[in-house]
Amino acid sequence: MQTHIAPRFQDDPDVDEADTILRSCVHCGFCIAACPTYQILGDELDGPRGRIYLIKAFFAGAPATEHTLKHLDRCLTCRACETTCPSGVRYARLAEIGRAHLEAEVGRPALERVKRRLLRAIVPHPERFRLLVRLGDTFKPLLPDALARQIPTLPKPRLTAPQATVHTTRRVIALAGCVQSVMTPATGAALAQILGTLGVAVDVPASAGCCGALSLHLNAHSEAHDYMRRNIDAWWPLIEAGAEAILVSASGCGSMVKEYGEALQNDPDYAEKAARVAALACDPSEWLLERAAEIPFVAANRGTVAFHAPCSLQHAQRLQGGVETLLQRAGYRLTSVRDSHLCCGSAGSYSILQPMLSQLLRNQKLEALQAGQPDCIATANVGCQMHLQSGSETPVCHWLDLCADALAPVGGL
């Protein structure tokens, strides 16, 4: 793609990066077939190729408009287009740069600004988020059914199998996360239980927190980088002590942590550490898959599962098939899911900022997942888990919970 960058952007390194990405696009249009919003809206400007043209025109000097920002905001950043693209166009990074520059020039209505600030002020902070969920749960009986279903309920304490004390020098780091630590804490316990059977202990530093993805996607880049630095500081002593990996069981957070090196590459104090953290970051599925033969699953027919692969797992991290293999080894039968590459509509804050499109995508995804009449739906990201459960009577859980349920009891009892 030929480009022309307007003089006012000439000295902006982010725009230089955007220009390089734009030039890699060959207009083929393969990305359109993979784009969930294009499939729903049928508008070229609500597909990757159309959004690329909008960004190109803006950086060439076209006026910034709310119309352009609206089409970029409708993007899920699911990155299915990147998986499909034969030219390797880094669309997600291009959209991130384009949105940030457009928002700086166009601005947003007051209500939108307040909504985004509240998300950044509450969601990355577990205690604040827990309080908000409790308040919502309290007033849920007073709300219409359609709205009440969107409000999550804090989980009841779950009885888990006793975990053997792990006396070992082998250790990994795990990220509890912000939403996951509040809404699905059993996922972290399940990971620790599985690792315990392999003789691996888990460290979860209390000073580590939000991965920074929410702030980054809401154009608060400096705030996102601060979250990244805090996590690096929390993990670094453990890394120096020999931690084998950083396991991130929420795939959305995992895709962010794997990009710390790129995000902080120009930070003289953190660039090297960030690159090391990114190299150590793993989704539990890729780490456990290499050790699958050692996991003591009890042979049994454990029922039927429909697996929803989050976009952050299959498109951002490019991990496919690992979870399914582990679930099958644990004794579960997997159903076939049509259009498994498409987003469920959760996409971080998207379900709050774009509720209509998000619910349409959720309903389509649930129809596909439930077609095989599974006993439960499994996924690999807390956002997808909560979003799907809000529209489904079928239980939705994290795949680690299912694998932990299939383990031999401690002591073989």
Side-chain angles (χ1 to χ4, degrees), residues 115-124 214 218 349 352-353:
K115 188 184 296 185
R116 289 164 181 265
R117 285 175 183 168
L118 284 173
L119 283 169
R120 288 167 40 214
I122 295 173
V123 175
L214 178 70
L218 293 177
S349 60
I352 297 172
L353 298 175

Side-chain angles (χ1 to χ4, degrees), residues 121-140:
I122 295 173
V123 175
H125 305 277
E127 291 307 317
R128 299 177 193 174
F129 182 65
R130 183 179 287 108
L131 176 61
L132 180 66
V133 173
R134 282 177 178 160
L135 286 172
D137 200 35
T138 299
F139 291 102
K140 188 183 293 187

Side-chain angles (χ1 to χ4, degrees), residues 202-217:
V202 185
D203 290 311
V204 187
S207 55
C210 178
C211 66
L214 178 70
S215 299
L216 189 73
H217 296 154

Side-chain angles (χ1 to χ4, degrees), residues 344-359:
C344 71
S346 173
S349 60
Y350 193 91
S351 59
I352 297 172
L353 298 175
Q354 301 284 339
M356 184 192 72
L357 288 172
S358 177
Q359 289 180 32

Side-chain angles (χ1 to χ4, degrees), residues 62-86:
T65 66
E66 293 180 1
H67 173 77
T68 301
L69 188 57
K70 176 187 72 174
H71 289 295
L72 293 186
D73 282 345
R74 284 178 178 170
C75 174
L76 293 141
T77 320
C78 69
R79 299 172 74 165
C81 55
E82 293 187 3
T83 303
T84 307
C85 180

Side-chain angles (χ1 to χ4, degrees), residues 100-301:
H101 281 73
L102 272 163
E103 183 175 329
E105 294 201 15
V106 176
R108 294 185 183 276
L111 183 59
E112 279 294 304
R113 294 199 304 272
V114 169
K115 188 184 296 185
R116 289 164 181 265
R117 285 175 183 168
L118 284 173
L119 283 169
R120 288 167 40 214
I122 295 173
V123 175
H125 305 277
E127 291 307 317
R128 299 177 193 174
F129 182 65
R130 183 179 287 108
L131 176 61
L132 180 66
V133 173
R134 282 177 178 160
L135 286 172
D137 200 35
T138 299
F139 291 102
K140 188 183 293 187
L142 305 177
L143 300 174
D145 288 344
L147 181 58
R149 287 184 66 86
Q150 305 305 313
I151 299 176
T153 299
L154 284 172
K156 296 178 181 178
R158 176 187 174 187
L159 293 176
T160 58
Q163 298 178 30
T165 302
V166 181
H167 299 288
T168 178
T169 57
R170 296 188 61 194
R171 310 191 75 85
V172 297
I173 301 166
L175 175 65
C178 37
V179 174
Q180 181 173 282
S181 66
V182 174
M183 298 307 305
T184 58
T187 298
L191 175 60
Q193 188 179 346
I194 296 168
L195 292 171
T197 68
L198 300 174
V200 179
V202 185
D203 290 311
V204 187
S207 55
C210 178
C211 66
L214 178 70
S215 299
L216 189 73
H217 296 154
L218 293 177
N219 297 328
H221 293 187
S222 178
E223 180 179 84
H225 293 167
D226 286 341
Y227 282 126
M228 296 175 193
R229 294 184 189 101
R230 183 186 69 177
N231 288 342
I232 292 170
D233 288 340
W235 296 331
W236 198 248
L238 299 170
I239 292 172
E240 290 188 312
E244 296 181 22
I246 301 170
L247 302 185
V248 188
S249 50
S251 61
C253 301
S255 62
M256 180 76 267
V257 176
K258 287 184 175 184
E259 294 177 0
Y260 274 19
E262 181 181 6
L264 296 177
Q265 61 184 324
N266 296 320
D267 186 323
D269 297 321
Y270 281 86
E272 186 175 341
K273 291 181 179 180
R276 177 66 175 148
V277 163
L280 284 172
C282 293
D283 185 82
S285 64
E286 61 182 315
W287 199 84
L288 291 172
L289 190 62
E290 297 179 0
R291 301 156 180 84
E294 304 171 40
I295 303 174
F297 291 128
V298 176
N301 181 358

